[in-house]
Amino acid sequence: QVQLVESGGGLVQAGGSLRLSCAASGRTFSTYTMAWFRQAPGKERDFVATIHWNTVSTYYADSVKGRFTISRDNAKNTVYLQMNTLKPEDTAVYYCAAAGQGSNWPPTNYYAMAYWGKGTLVTVSS
């Protein structure tokens, strides 16, 4: 069982930056591939970024590539999402997720996730 708690959301102007954090409980965090998803009002939950349990491999949605960076600190049981050059269309609730064991790489599908946080709201004003 893994419990995930996101933090770091807020209101930022277009062009600004935010760093989201996701703190995980449990001793097996280092064995999970982690991901960020986001859900804008009235829209489906979409994949944003993922990082392999090996801490090296990463994969991004085209919409955030070059602007967002996912990283993890297994010693702190935490995964991060550094978001730069934010745009109004990045406004959404951002969710941290842990992929199910044995998921194919990269796990970009909602149904590949075994655990979810409750989300943190990011609002980008124009």
Side-chain angles (χ1 to χ4, degrees), residues 30-101:
S30 62
T31 67
Y32 284 89
T33 288
M34 300 298 295
W36 288 95
F37 285 70
R38 66 185 181 185
Q39 188 167 17
K43 296 190 176 181
E44 295 184 348
R45 193 171 299 186
D46 292 330
F47 168 78
V48 174
T50 185
I51 184 165
H52 199 277
W53 55 263
N54 65 17
T55 76
V56 176
S57 302
T58 58
Y59 186 82
Y60 297 91
D62 287 343
S63 59
V64 306
K65 200 173 296 181
R67 300 189 298 123
F68 290 11
T69 302
I70 189 171
S71 62
R72 65 191 296 164
D73 185 339
N74 285 343
K76 296 183 178 181
N77 277 15
T78 302
V79 62
Y80 304 98
L81 186 68
Q82 178 66 43
M83 306 185 294
N84 298 330
T85 319
L86 284 160
K87 305 175 182 180
E89 50 264 44
D90 294 318
T91 294
V93 176
Y94 283 72
Y95 296 91
C96 176
Q101 300 291 330

